[in-house]
Amino acid sequence: MKILLVAGARPNFMKIAPILREIEKYSSELRGILVHTGQHYDQNMSDTFFKELGIKEPDYNLEVGSGSHAFQTAEIMVRFEEVCLKEKPDLVVVVGDVNSTIAAGLVAKKLHIKLAHVEAGLRSRDWSMPEEINRIATDSITDLFFTTEKEGTDNLLKERHTPETVHFVGHVMIDNLFYQLKKFGDKVPSELAENIKKRLPDKYICMTMHRPSNVDDEETLTRIIKALKAVSEKAPIIFPCHPRTKKQIEMFGFQGAFKTLTLNLSTLNTSINSVQAVEHLTNGIYLSEPLGYDDFLYLWKDAFCVITDSGGMQEETTALKIPCITIRENTERPITVELGSNAVVGTDPEKIVEYCNKALNKQWKESKIPELWDGKASERIVEAIKHSA
Ligand code: UD1
C-alpha cells in the first residue's frame, strides 16, 4: 500500500512524524512517501523540525511558499496533482486544518484516491477563521476520519458521516510530545535552550501568538500587549515570535513594548539591542525568533503558564498539565477546557491578567489527561489504515 503523507506548515510536521515512524515499522506492507508543500519554508519554521523530529527529508518539496489563500491553495493543488499522477498512491493522509490540508485533500478526492484526515471533526463554529473553513471542507470529502477527542466524532456523526469511517484514536501530536520528551530525557536539548533557562527565574511564562484575528488587527494587538506588559511585571514572558506576528509588530511600530532575546549564541555579547549573555531575564516580554520544537518544549514544560492562540499548544499543555491561557474567543478543542488545563479567556486585558495571576499564584484548576492521549494514536491510525486496505 502506497501512502502519500502531506505536511506543509509548522504544526503539521509534529503530527506527521509519529505516523511516518509507525508506517516504517511495516515496510513490507506499507510505503510512506512524504510530501512537504513548502507552505512554511524558513529554516526555523520548517527544516529544523525535520531534523529534530527524527523523520526523513521529504521525498517531495513543492516549494509553494507564501501568498494569498487562493494563490497558496491553488499552487499546492497544481504541484501536488503532479505528484499524485506520478506516484499513483492508494491513500493520501492529510493532517490538521491548514491550507495544505484542504489543497491536497481536494486533489486526492478528484483523482479518486482515498483520503484520510487526521485531527478530523474539530469545530470552532467560527467561520472567520480560515482553519474552520479548511476543517469543514476537508471533512466533507474525507473517506477515513481520525479524531482526537469524542466531540470530534460526535460532530462528524451529526454531519451524517458513516460511523464505520470515523475512528477515535487519540492524538498524534501527543504521541510526538511524549516521544520528544523521552528522547531528550534529563538532557538539555541545546546550549541555546540551556542558556535561556539558566537566566530565567523559577517563575516565568512562555507564549506563542500568530492568529490573524489577534495580530493583524491593531486594536486587538494593542489590548493584548497592554495585558502582557502588566503580566510581565510579575514574571518574564518568553515569546518566540512567528514571522507573521513580527511583521505586524513592526508595521504598527510596537517594538518598544518588547525586549529582544537574540538566539545567536555567538553574537550574544555584541548585539547592541539584545539581552546580553550574562544578563538575567527578569521582568519584560522577551521576543525572539521562532525556536525549534525541543528548545521550546524544554522551556514551556517548566513554565508557570503558557499564553497562546495556537491549537496545538492548548493540547500539549493539557497533556503536561501546564496552565494554558488561550487568547481567543473560542476553541475547536473543547476537551482541553472541560478536562484539561486550558482556559479560553479572549483578548480583554483584565481577563488575561486575572488568569495569569491565578497561574502565577498556583491557583489553577485540577486537570486530567483526555482519553487515549497516551502516545499510541499513530499505532491505532496505522492499524485502521491496514484494515481499510
Ligand atoms: C499557518 C496556518 C495556521 C497555523 C500556522 C502555524 C493556514 C490558513 N494557516 O498560518 O492555521 O496555525 O500556519 O504556524 O494555513 N512566513 C515566513 N516564513 C515561513 C512561513 C511564513 O516568513 O516559513 C510569513 C510570510 O510572510 C507569510 C506569513 O508568515 O505570508 C503567514 O504564513 P502562512 O503560511 O500564510 O500562514 P500562518 O500565519 O503561518
Side-chain angles (χ1 to χ4, degrees):
M1 189 177 187
K2 202 190 248 191
I3 306 166
L4 284 194
L5 298 122
V6 183
R10 189 167 60 168
N12 292 167
F13 309 137
M14 289 80 108
K15 294 170 193 165
I16 285 291
I19 307 173
L20 198 55
R21 274 195 292 270
E22 192 62 25
I23 286 177
E24 281 166 1
K25 287 188 196 161
Y26 300 92
S27 53
S28 58
E29 294 165 68
L30 307 176
R31 188 170 155 230
I33 297 172
L34 180 58
V35 182
H36 183 352
T37 65
Q39 178 174 344
H40 284 175
Y41 44 85
D42 281 350
Q43 171 84 18
N44 48 12
M45 295 288 285
S46 170
D47 300 7
T48 312
F49 288 84
F50 282 88
K51 287 190 199 98
E52 280 183 318
L53 299 176
I55 49 175
K56 62 177 177 178
E57 289 290 312
D59 297 286
Y60 292 90
N61 190 332
L62 308 182
E63 294 181 345
V64 163
S66 299
S68 70
H69 285 262
F71 169 85
Q72 203 169 49
T73 311
E75 207 59 29
I76 295 169
M77 286 184 71
V78 171
R79 298 183 196 191
F80 185 62
E81 186 179 48
E82 280 175 31
V83 179
C84 287
L85 290 173
K86 181 170 164 223
E87 292 289 350
K88 300 189 174 41
D90 302 292
L91 179 74
V92 166
V93 177
V94 295
V95 296
D97 53 20
V98 301
N99 287 345
S100 302
T101 312
I102 179 61
L106 274 171
V107 170
K109 194 67 181 176
K110 291 202 169 180
L111 290 175
H112 307 293
I113 302 164
K114 197 191 256 184
L115 177 66
H117 184 203
V118 174
E119 209 188 71
L122 298 179
R123 301 287 179 265
S124 67
R125 324 267 170 219
D126 177 356
W127 285 91
S128 69
M129 290 178 76
E131 293 81 5
E132 183 70 356
I133 301 168
N134 291 341
R135 280 180 211 117
I136 291 177
T138 304
D139 284 340
S140 73
I141 53 171
T142 290
D143 301 297
L144 204 51
F145 302 89
F146 295 109
T147 63
T148 55
E149 54 178 276
K150 282 273 171 58
E151 181 138 340
T153 301
D154 294 346
N155 289 334
L156 292 168
L157 297 182
K158 270 184 227 150
E159 289 167 19
R160 297 185 180 278
H161 295 288
T162 40
E164 300 75 55
T165 60
V166 183
H167 303 265
F168 170 45
V169 291
H171 206 342
V172 286
M173 187 99 168
I174 306 306
D175 291 11
N176 180 66
L177 172 69
F178 292 164
Y179 178 89
Q180 297 297 118
L181 276 175
K182 198 168 159 200
K183 194 186 74 183
F184 68 70
D186 295 333
K187 292 196 292 288
V188 180
S190 74
E191 200 187 334
L192 179 75
E194 189 182 21
N195 183 288
I196 298 173
K197 186 77 146 280
K198 255 191 343 212
R199 292 187 283 147
L200 281 166
D202 279 351
K203 204 180 260 196
Y204 68 92
I205 297 171
C206 285
M207 140 148 212
T208 75
M209 176 172 68
H210 69 280
R211 294 271 158 223
S213 57
N214 280 339
V215 304
D216 290 3
D217 180 58
E218 188 172 357
E219 234 176 79
T220 311
L221 190 55
T222 305
R223 278 206 306 275
I224 295 172
I225 292 175
K226 184 177 167 203
L228 296 178
K229 272 175 144 173
V231 170
S232 72
E233 281 167 21
K234 302 202 173 111
I237 301 175
I238 300 295
F239 181 14
C241 193
H242 188 286
R244 172 193 283 280
T245 312
K246 183 166 179 264
K247 215 153 79 182
Q248 293 303 111
I249 287 173
E250 285 166 5
M251 197 181 85
F252 296 134
F254 290 162
Q255 300 96 314
F258 303 95
K259 295 181 182 173
T260 313
L261 180 61
T262 177
L263 294 183
N264 186 345
L265 282 175
S266 60
T267 60
L268 268 176
N269 289 314
T270 52
S271 173
I272 295 160
N273 217 354
S274 69
V275 176
Q276 300 293 295
V278 288
E279 190 185 316
H280 286 280
L281 307 173
T282 51
N283 301 350
I285 317 164
Y286 292 88
L287 208 72
S288 78
E289 294 294 310
L291 281 166
Y293 185 87
D294 286 348
D295 285 350
F296 192 48
L297 170 57
Y298 182 70
L299 293 173
W300 73 254
K301 75 179 176 54
D302 297 322
F304 262 56
C305 66
V306 170
I307 303 171
T308 193
D309 59 11
S310 133
M313 282 308 299
Q314 295 173 53
E315 297 173 321
E316 292 190 307
T317 47
T318 278
L320 298 191
K321 298 190 174 179
I322 305 289
C324 180
I325 293 148
T326 297
I327 41 175
R328 277 176 50 187
E329 303 302 333
N330 50 53
T331 181
E332 61 286 345
R333 299 155 209 266
I335 197 85
T336 61
V337 177
E338 287 155 17
L339 209 68
S341 57
N342 186 24
V344 176
V345 308
T347 57
D348 172 13
E350 277 179 26
K351 215 154 171 216
I352 298 174
V353 174
E354 179 196 329
Y355 276 81
C356 285
N357 283 340
K358 279 189 197 179
L360 291 173
N361 294 328
K362 293 214 173 254
Q363 289 164 342
W364 207 250
K365 60 178 173 173
E366 279 293 311
S367 66
K368 290 194 178 124
I369 314 278
E371 194 184 345
L372 298 188
W373 288 20
D374 56 1
K376 293 181 177 162
S378 48
E379 286 177 27
R380 296 183 193 103
I381 288 174
V382 172
E383 208 41 52
I385 287 177
K386 286 200 293 178
H387 266 105
S388 78

